[in-house]
């Protein structure tokens, strides 16, 4: 969906698809008809929309089109990308696009305004998820391990901050910056949404962050370890930054998270049709308060 307007990008899926899985259909919901289509030689993995661009992601390629006339502007080769990972900045004017690079653990950042490409070796493992701040200046990444989330300056690739979701492996479903990039929300298959405080802006690297991520399985819950004074002796785990607030969900469904319009709120959407709105306390943190719950797939009584 293009923001909250009548334009949708549709891709066929399932055993009897309405449209070919190799096509992107541009649907105008006011006219109730397709107003354009793009065809490919392999299945479309994902689509990203801006008012001026359509980005189509295949298994190993990303295509960037001009929205007005569907003219191809750019194509990028990537490592195998079955989940169709790709994000674009949404600020008008300056387009920033992020996709996997050509190596495991690498992300590619395209700055179209300055015609610059930046490769960032973000993780040792494969990339599982990434997100851009609204202005395209900050990039958050998670690997298939799912224990650490790293925040980079998207312009020069500097590692700014590293936060820890937990000690055991997890599949990260979504990452989201708050509109001011003061907070970062994370959802995973552990059934917990975490909110982290970001101490960075695009110009202030955190000097103590290292790429070393050896991870003994030790339980810990505080937002900063009291053992951080011995960080030079014990593994990295003890100096980890932990989430400020969290919210527990029923396990078994995939959830995506975003920040709400109200102050200090997050919105959580589940593939099971569930919708949660929760509020976190930025100073005391802890468990979030549930403000609202609906399920859009369960029939009304």
């Amino acid at each position: 969906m293009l923001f909250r307007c009548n334009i949708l990008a549709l891709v066929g899926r399932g055993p009897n698809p309405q449209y070919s899985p190799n096509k992107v259909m541009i649907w105008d919901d006011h006219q109730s008809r397709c107003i354009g289509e793009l065809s490919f030689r392999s299945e479309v993995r994902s689509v990203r929309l801006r008012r001026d661009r359509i980005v189509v992601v295949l298994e190993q390629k990303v295509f960037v089109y001009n929205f007005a006339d569907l003219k191809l502007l750019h194509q990028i080769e990537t490592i195998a990308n079955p989940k169709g990972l790709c994000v674009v900045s949404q600020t008008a004017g300056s387009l920033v696009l992020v996709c996997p690079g050509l190596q495991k653990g690498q992300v590619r950042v395209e700055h179209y305004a300055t015609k610059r490409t930046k490769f960032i070796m973000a993780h040792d493992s494969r990339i599982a998820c990434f997100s851009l701040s609204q202005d395209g200046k900050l990039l958050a990444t998670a690997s298939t391990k799912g224990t650490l989330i790293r925040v980079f300056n998207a312009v020069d690739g500097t590692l700014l901050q590293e936060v820890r979701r937990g000690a055991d492996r997890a599949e990260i479903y979504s990452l989201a910056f708050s509109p001011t990039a003061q907070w970062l929300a994370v959802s995973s298959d552990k059934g917990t949404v975490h909110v982290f405080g970001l101490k960075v802006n695009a110009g202030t690297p955190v000097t103590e962050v290292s790429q070393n991520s050896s991870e003994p399985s030790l339980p810990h819950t505080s937002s900063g370890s009291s053992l951080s004074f011995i960080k030079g002796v014990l593994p990295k785990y003890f100096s980890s930054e932990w989430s400020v607030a969290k919210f527990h969900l029923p396990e078994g469904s995939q959830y995506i998270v975003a920040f709400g319009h109200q102050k200090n709120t997050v919105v959580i959407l589940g593939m099971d049709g569930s919708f949660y709105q929760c509020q976190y306390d930025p100073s005391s943190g802890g468990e979030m308060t549930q403000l609202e719950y609906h399920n859009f797939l369960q029939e009304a009584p």
Side-chain angles (χ1 to χ4, degrees), residues 7 43-44 53 70 114 117 130 154 191 207 212 235 249 251 258 268:
I7 302 297
E43 285 194 8
V44 175
R53 297 287 183 268
L70 301 186
T114 55
T117 302
F130 46 68
T207 53
N212 172 27
L249 296 152
E251 283 188 54
I268 304 160

Side-chain angles (χ1 to χ4, degrees), residues 202-223:
T204 56
V206 175
T207 53
E208 288 184 353
V209 171
S210 83
Q211 291 279 30
N212 172 27
S213 53
S214 53
E215 297 159 5
S217 296
L218 297 170
H220 202 292
T221 54
S222 72
S223 59

Side-chain angles (χ1 to χ4, degrees), residues 254-294:
Q254 187 169 332
Y255 298 95
I256 59 170
V257 64
F259 283 85
H261 292 298
Q262 290 172 252
K263 197 174 181 186
N264 304 325
T265 60
V266 293
V267 171
I268 304 160
L269 291 171
M271 289 290 280
D272 58 357
S274 57
F275 169 97
Y276 299 84
Q277 187 173 20
C278 308
Q279 191 159 36
Y280 58 94
D281 187 320
S283 51
S284 62
E287 191 72 20
M288 291 188 231
T289 307
Q290 182 176 311
L291 302 179
E292 209 177 330
Y293 171 81
H294 306 282

Side-chain angles (χ1 to χ4, degrees), residues 73-111:
L73 302 176
H74 192 204
Q75 55 180 308
I76 301 166
E77 290 196 21
T78 70
I79 196 170
N81 183 17
K83 289 164 73 176
L85 298 177
C86 182
V87 291
V88 293
S89 62
Q90 294 298 347
T91 309
S94 59
L95 170 59
V96 181
L97 179 149
V98 182
C99 63
L102 287 166
Q103 300 174 45
K104 181 178 74 172
Q106 184 187 65
V107 291
R108 173 176 180 149
V109 187
E110 289 288 335
H111 297 273

Side-chain angles (χ1 to χ4, degrees), residues 17-124:
Q18 175 84 21
Y19 302 114
S20 164
N22 293 18
K23 285 185 177 181
V24 175
M25 312 299 291
I26 312 301
W27 177 272
D28 184 333
D29 210 46
H30 281 173
Q31 300 180 47
S32 294
R33 69 181 186 93
C34 283
I35 56 171
E37 66 176 73
L38 297 164
S39 298
F40 303 91
R41 290 182 184 155
S42 61
E43 285 194 8
V44 175
R45 297 298 186 195
S46 68
V47 183
R48 298 288 177 263
L49 301 180
R50 275 172 54 110
R51 296 193 195 283
D52 55 352
R53 297 287 183 268
I54 300 174
V55 179
V56 181
V57 186
L58 308 185
E59 178 90 24
Q60 291 186 290
K61 274 196 173 163
V62 177
F63 295 93
V64 181
Y65 295 88
N66 189 44
F67 211 137
D69 55 9
L70 301 186
K71 182 184 175 186
L72 179 63
L73 302 176
H74 192 204
Q75 55 180 308
I76 301 166
E77 290 196 21
T78 70
I79 196 170
N81 183 17
K83 289 164 73 176
L85 298 177
C86 182
V87 291
V88 293
S89 62
Q90 294 298 347
T91 309
S94 59
L95 170 59
V96 181
L97 179 149
V98 182
C99 63
L102 287 166
Q103 300 174 45
K104 181 178 74 172
Q106 184 187 65
V107 291
R108 173 176 180 149
V109 187
E110 289 288 335
H111 297 273
Y112 286 94
T114 55
K115 295 185 169 64
R116 289 177 58 196
T117 302
K118 185 72 190 173
F119 290 94
I120 301 171
M121 280 307 301
H123 298 272
D124 295 331

